[in-house]
Amino acid sequence: MRRRGPALLVAVLLAACGRAPERRAITPQQQQLVDRMRAAGATDLDANGRADGGMSIAGKLAGRAFGIAVPARWNEQAVLFANGYSIPGTPVSVPADPVAKDPSGGFLTAAYKDGFAVGQSAFDKPAMAVKSGVANTLRLRGWFSRIGTRRFYLGGASMGGNIVMALIEKHQHAFAGAMSACGVTGGWESEVGSLVDLRATYNYYARGSGYELPGDHDLSVNGVSPTPPAGLGFARAPWLFWQLKKMSGIMADLFKAARADPNGPEAKMIARIASVAKADADPASFIFPIMTAMVSMEDMRASFGGGVYGNAGKVYDSPLLGAQGKAALNAGIQRIASDAPARAFATAWYRPTGRFATPLVAVHNPHDGLVFAEQALLLRRYVKAAGNEERLFQLWAPSVRKDIPGTGLKGWAHCGFTPRQAAVLWTTLHAWVETGRRPQTGRY
């Protein structure tokens, strides 16, 4: 539900790192384009030449930051990108040069090399921001139109994949083609439900052991605060890193103990949690979803207007449990209720319907450490029910294991795609739009 890759731990540090881009002059022709951009409503413009002869431009529209790159031989078309979920309390920002620091993992870079301008807009807030992501991406599109852009493509990853679905279903003719990678394409009730069920099941089985999570165990609130107490705002990044490290360290210890004794109590605990919560028995598939639930529940409730998912009437089950174990689980697991206004808001922003006119390329990993493969299956179901299968080309990319920062463990990556695969997504979508011929379904 965030940017490409699962590095929740290092994202905090990376946000404050990175060198400023080398300054290069722009040409008189590029300056004329910048002047048109300003006349079209952009403010705070900072244009910088690129080594390839193009230029990057950072600026603001209605107070929201954007970053774009325009190639030297621009074809007057643009590809816009919607980024994923970020931790509550982290800065709202976008890269000034979306090719030098490609938030899409290679999709935008491939389009740029084909002569397309590329870029993205910041959202109004970090964390859950689908509604503002739609509005701000549309604002950027409108501004691009005013400077002469004649056709648009769209991409998004994780939460950005959900923004893509909202854009192409609510604005049927705004984009010629769209791409969703590792997206929340099944809707927020199912995604939040996966997070809550995993946190609830973990809390149940870890209760009284040395692997209990820190902080508040109430599923409806944050387990730990992502922001420091009043007066410690200057320490925001190290505070958040410390909170995440506490949680990840406990769960990492659980998996290390299970690895040391595959028949021991820790291995049995992991197996039961995974079986009940329908999750992979994988360290990343525990750590990242549970940490997200632990620092994001209050932002989600505020964003949706209440609880979007409830487990009050759910019967939890597992083939690993006997009758007594199932009864104890269902009697002892915490229950929370959903709220009708929150469910309605989550439907509006956004549960896909499967009804869209834009050619859509969607890709997912069978094993994803945060946005589970169920999201891809739900999208396929919605599209089939809408009789719209000719507008969806769905791919499965091989799952990838990556290092989990600070733990010494590897686990399933969130958005585990290579730059080469991201470029294939672009060329596949572009060819589909240009030729009108839908690709063949398969893997890549």
Side-chain angles (χ1 to χ4, degrees):
M1 264 180 339
R2 47 154 289 122
R3 294 183 295 274
R4 187 178 65 92
L8 282 173
L9 291 175
V10 296
V12 181
L13 301 181
L14 292 179
C17 299
R19 294 174 298 177
E22 181 181 347
R23 302 299 302 184
R24 293 186 176 89
I26 61 174
T27 68
Q29 292 79 11
Q30 288 172 329
Q31 184 60 55
Q32 291 176 5
L33 179 57
V34 172
D35 292 341
R36 283 162 50 199
M37 292 175 176
R38 186 174 290 107
T43 62
D44 302 274
L45 291 178
D46 179 19
N48 191 23
R50 290 179 44 83
D52 58 20
M55 66 174 172
S56 63
I57 304 100
K60 292 183 178 179
L61 291 172
R64 281 75 169 181
F66 70 84
I68 67 171
V70 182
R73 295 185 178 182
W74 181 32
N75 61 12
E76 296 185 338
Q77 299 181 70
V79 182
L80 307 184
F81 186 76
N83 65 261
Y85 187 90
S86 58
I87 298 173
T90 55
V92 176
S93 63
V94 294
D97 185 339
V99 175
K101 295 183 178 180
D102 188 344
S104 70
F107 182 80
L108 293 182
T109 298
Y112 177 85
K113 290 178 179 178
D114 282 347
F116 289 74
V118 299
Q120 68 175 134
S121 171
F123 305 155
D124 293 355
K125 62 184 287 294
M128 185 57 60
V130 173
K131 187 175 181 179
S132 75
V134 168
N136 293 357
T137 303
L138 283 175
R139 183 184 294 111
L140 184 61
R141 184 198 181 282
W143 173 77
F144 256 119
S145 292
R146 293 194 292 276
I147 62 172
T149 308
R150 57 187 176 84
R151 188 160 64 171
F152 294 88
Y153 289 76
L154 176 66
S158 197
M159 181 182 74
N162 188 259
I163 293 170
V164 165
M165 297 308 303
L167 280 163
I168 65 174
E169 292 192 354
K170 291 177 178 288
H171 303 275
Q172 294 271 338
H173 304 292
F175 298 94
M179 183 279 296
S180 169
C182 53
V184 183
T185 51
W188 289 105
E189 184 175 0
S190 58
E191 175 63 16
V192 175
S194 295
L195 304 183
V196 170
D197 281 344
L198 186 53
R199 182 184 176 191
T201 309
Y202 185 98
N203 284 347
Y204 174 80
Y205 282 108
R207 189 181 301 154
S209 75
Y211 302 103
E212 284 189 287
L213 295 170
D216 199 326
H217 291 178
D218 184 349
L219 300 177
S220 63
V221 300
N222 290 347
V224 299
S225 173
T227 56
L232 294 178
F234 64 90
R236 183 180 299 270
W239 168 272
L240 179 54
F241 180 83
W242 176 58
Q243 297 285 59
L244 297 176
K245 179 64 175 174
K246 285 193 300 183
M247 294 182 285
S248 66
I250 290 170
M251 289 182 276
D253 287 345
L254 173 64
F255 275 88
K256 289 175 182 177
R259 184 171 58 187
D261 183 2
N263 297 312
E266 289 87 0
K268 292 177 181 177
M269 183 188 300
I270 290 169
R272 287 171 180 162
I273 293 168
S275 180
V276 170
K278 307 297 188 291
D280 284 323
D282 165 79
S285 302
F286 275 43
I287 290 173
F288 294 116
I290 291 174
M291 287 200 306
T292 300
M294 288 279 282
V295 299
S296 300
M297 289 309 299
E298 290 167 22
D299 174 82
M300 289 182 184
R301 291 183 69 86
S303 300
F304 287 119
V308 71
Y309 170 79
N311 65 347
K314 182 167 183 173
V315 177
Y316 291 90
D317 198 1
S318 165
L320 301 180
L321 300 176
Q324 186 176 357
K326 292 177 186 177
L329 169 65
N330 282 284
I333 198 167
Q334 187 192 344
R335 305 290 181 167
I336 57 173
S338 64
D339 300 297
R343 295 195 304 271
F345 188 89
T347 296
W349 301 101
Y350 189 69
R351 178 179 175 179
T353 66
R355 296 186 292 273
F356 48 86
T358 306
L360 173 66
V361 173
V363 62
H364 216 101
N365 302 115
H367 301 280
D368 184 298
L370 186 56
V371 178
F372 302 135
E374 176 193 22
Q375 294 293 316
L377 303 178
L378 287 170
L379 174 62
R380 182 187 301 170
R381 185 187 308 168
Y382 299 155
V383 170
K384 184 176 181 179
N388 198 26
E389 292 167 285
E390 76 277 5
R391 292 191 176 93
L392 173 65
F393 174 53
Q394 200 166 32
L395 285 162
W396 292 98
S399 302
V400 176
R401 288 190 179 276
K402 291 188 176 181
D403 291 332
I404 304 172
T407 67
L409 298 172
K410 290 181 178 290
W412 294 123
H414 173 42
C415 301
F417 313 120
T418 66
R420 183 196 67 79
Q421 290 170 329
V424 169
L425 293 174
W426 163 250
T427 56
T428 300
L429 176 62
H430 187 213
W432 185 3
V433 172
E434 289 293 333
T435 65
R437 294 192 295 271
R438 180 183 177 279
Q440 296 300 308
T441 302
R443 293 176 177 265
Y444 78 134

